[in-house]
Amino acid sequence: MRALLGWVDRIAALTEPDRIQWISGDPRERDELLAEMVAQRTLIPLNPEKRPGSYLARSTPDDVARLESRTFICSEREEDAGPTNNWVAPAEMRATLEPLFAGSMRGRTLYVVPFSMGKVGGPISQLGVQLTDSPYAVASIGIMTRVGDDVTRLIAAGEPFVRTVHSVGAPLAPGQMDTAWPSNPEKHIAHFPESLEVWSYGSGYGGNAILAKKCFALRIASVLGRDQGWMAEHMLLIRVTDPYGRAYHVAAAFPSACGKTNLAMLRPTIPGWSVETLGDDITWIRPGGDGKLHAINPEAGFFGVAPGTGASTNVTAVETLTHDVIFTNVALTDDGDVWWEGLTDEAPDHLIDWQGRDWTPADGRPAAHPNSRFTVAAAQSPSISDAWEEAVPLDVILFGGRRATNVPLVVEATSWEHGVFLGSTISSERTAAAEGTVGELRRDPFAMMPFCGYNMADYFAHWIRMGGSVETLPRIFQVNWFRKGADGAFLWPGFGENSRVIDWIIRRLQGEAAAVDTPIGRVPAPGSLDTSGIDVDEEQLLAVDRTAWRAEADLTEEFYARFGDRIPPELAAELASLRERLR
Ligand code: OXD
Ligand code: MN
């Protein structure tokens, strides 16, 4: 406890808040915090008859997404951050941050938020504390993690914890009026993997402010996993039950805003199958005692992308969002409810858009920001599994991306090493979850490009190593729901129909579905994918164009070259044999 108290004192001395408040996890404390934010105009209460217990927050237009260009891995040695991360030496970053944090909480409250990733005291769980001057961050962390005195007691008993410090960088002079969304044009999200610290300055939004999520549960945790023999992955986690009642656990890595929440809440369209949700964004994986890898969802809530979530795409999500939700940057309806593009087929005649301006469909601009979000407790999802707080044995790993061309609907890896190769070569069209040009193709190995806290080549090697950690490894598949035909239309209906791909994958595990070898892996044999009742062009969906794949192999080689000789020999060998097969 002395370590925690001493650290809080030091940060308070640096940031000079008016008050310090320890978060206990009491529901009354949460109610008070929400009421204060309403008084402050940070939150707009929604119509309690339409959306009880729910609020709308609006950020400023310069603070709407994760900022990869302002995200730093501050390892002692530059090569430990690797060529895909922004690196700054720890001493230099501390020298930059000290003057920014000095007095940055004046006029504000410093909240001390102890949190657990995974259930409190669980075997795969980890503890952290966030010090923040943002009540919006406190309320969000309260949904996204397990917060409060139980955690403080474990820390007092000597459990290690990750230290995270967050300031919106908007100190208030005496008597100065606050704004609804305080932030600072200068932003830094800095990770110190050796001292297990995160310092975030200037932003109040999402992953920049809820430091338990991307900063801790992925970037810092990936480093802990490398050092301790486990894995922190950007994956959803589901339990799939087949028509015979046999249950399987599937983890799936997709780049941001590629439909992870939809797959996590899948409603199968084929009879006899059911899907339960364990997690929608992050999975921690460890060797279990039974010779298998075991997985947990370390989070307690969903921070999902709102646009595109509707009755026709993800009715479970819509049902999850009926009460006790914090929405950010969606549109407000005239009767005090929320709306976003895709919630209903037709837009209401009039809305207040995410920036608080009048909006009608004729305006032609989106009413909700493309990266607008909902923050909601996982436990209130109708699809949540009874097992969602437990570690489950992992049977299948999926890698996906958003690819208009080349990548078939589903490809089975021929070995663990081949699966790791597939994961390392994922590329995807950019979405609105982070800054950058939407639609541009970018490499996103394991969907971890923005979230790996160390040299990505070492991360590939860690994946290869983990293949030797248990007797029965999960089987690996690559999927692509987004392939388009020559006419530019999607070849696959997606959403609930993705259950047909899951069905094929599970039947592969049972040895009941046929596959054919292609140079890039195994694809469904003609007739083995259940396409009854839907009209799809299987041939186009599963086609492997050798010329195009030779070009993909060149791009992979170029990508690998960025890491010099740190690329594990197993992956170089996989690339060489792919070229061989493409000849
Ligand atoms: C997320 C992301 O918010 O990946 O989950 O950007
Ligand atoms: Mn994510």
Side-chain angles (χ1 to χ4, degrees), residues 254-274:
F254 288 84
S256 305
C258 282
K260 268 165 80 190
T261 306
N262 292 344
L263 183 56
M265 298 179 177
L266 182 84
R267 283 210 187 165
T269 50
I270 48 175
W273 289 82
S274 65

Side-chain angles (χ1 to χ4, degrees), residues 56-130:
L56 169 63
R58 290 189 193 127
S59 75
T60 48
D62 66 341
D63 197 18
V64 292
R66 286 185 292 99
L67 295 168
E68 289 170 15
S69 61
R70 306 303 306 153
T71 298
F72 303 90
I73 301 296
C74 306
S75 49
E76 290 294 340
R77 298 186 313 176
E78 184 169 5
E79 64 263 35
D80 289 336
T84 60
N85 281 311
N86 302 313
W87 176 79
V88 173
E92 188 187 330
M93 182 55 83
R94 286 187 201 282
T96 303
L97 293 178
E98 282 264 343
L100 293 174
F101 276 91
S104 72
M105 297 190 188
R106 272 185 218 140
R108 299 189 182 278
T109 301
L110 163 56
Y111 300 94
V112 181
V113 193
F115 61 87
S116 176
M117 301 311 286
K119 72 176 177 188
V120 180
I124 306 185
S125 302
Q126 301 277 335
L127 306 181
V129 177
Q130 181 163 335

Side-chain angles (χ1 to χ4, degrees), residues 107-322:
R108 299 189 182 278
T109 301
L110 163 56
Y111 300 94
V112 181
V113 193
F115 61 87
S116 176
M117 301 311 286
K119 72 176 177 188
V120 180
I124 306 185
S125 302
Q126 301 277 335
L127 306 181
V129 177
Q130 181 163 335
L131 305 185
T132 180
D133 56 7
S134 160
Y136 170 85
V138 177
S140 303
I141 304 162
I143 296 173
M144 296 304 297
T145 76
R146 289 106 172 146
V147 156
D149 288 343
D150 292 353
V151 179
T152 311
R153 275 189 285 275
L154 286 181
I155 291 173
E159 285 289 326
F161 64 98
V162 169
R163 291 160 164 78
T164 71
V165 186
H166 170 238
S167 174
V168 292
L172 293 167
Q176 185 185 342
M177 277 274 287
D178 203 358
T179 59
W181 189 271
S183 64
N184 192 299
E186 181 165 357
K187 296 175 173 63
H188 299 263
I189 301 107
H191 305 70
F192 299 85
E194 277 103 3
S195 57
L196 303 182
E197 284 169 82
V198 181
W199 288 71
S200 172
Y201 180 85
S203 167
Y205 202 82
N208 306 329
I210 308 168
L211 303 185
K213 193 175 179 62
K214 304 299 187 181
C215 298
F216 175 4
L218 288 175
R219 297 193 191 98
I220 294 290
S222 63
V223 173
L224 291 171
R226 174 197 65 189
D227 296 344
Q228 300 170 357
W230 55 281
M231 308 160 93
E233 300 301 331
H234 191 204
M235 293 177 173
L236 63 91
L237 184 61
I238 52 178
R239 170 180 285 180
V240 177
T241 305
D242 75 4
Y244 307 98
R246 294 175 291 196
Y248 299 85
H249 296 103
V250 179
F254 288 84
S256 305
C258 282
K260 268 165 80 190
T261 306
N262 292 344
L263 183 56
M265 298 179 177
L266 182 84
R267 283 210 187 165
T269 50
I270 48 175
W273 289 82
S274 65
V275 170
E276 294 161 52
T277 311
L278 285 95
D280 81 326
D281 193 41
I282 299 177
T283 299
W284 286 355
I285 304 169
R286 250 185 215 269
D290 60 353
K292 285 187 149 195
L293 291 177
H294 284 216
I296 65 163
N297 164 19
E299 301 189 277
F302 305 134
F303 178 65
V305 179
T309 305
S312 58
T313 55
N314 188 342
V315 64
T316 307
V318 174
E319 288 169 6
T320 305
L321 301 176
T322 51

Side-chain angles (χ1 to χ4, degrees), residues 68 402 428-432 434-442:
E68 289 170 15
R402 185 184 281 273
S428 190
E429 290 150 26
R430 201 185 265 281
T431 67
E435 89 254 56
T437 311
V438 171
E440 162 192 281
L441 195 69
R442 74 153 178 180

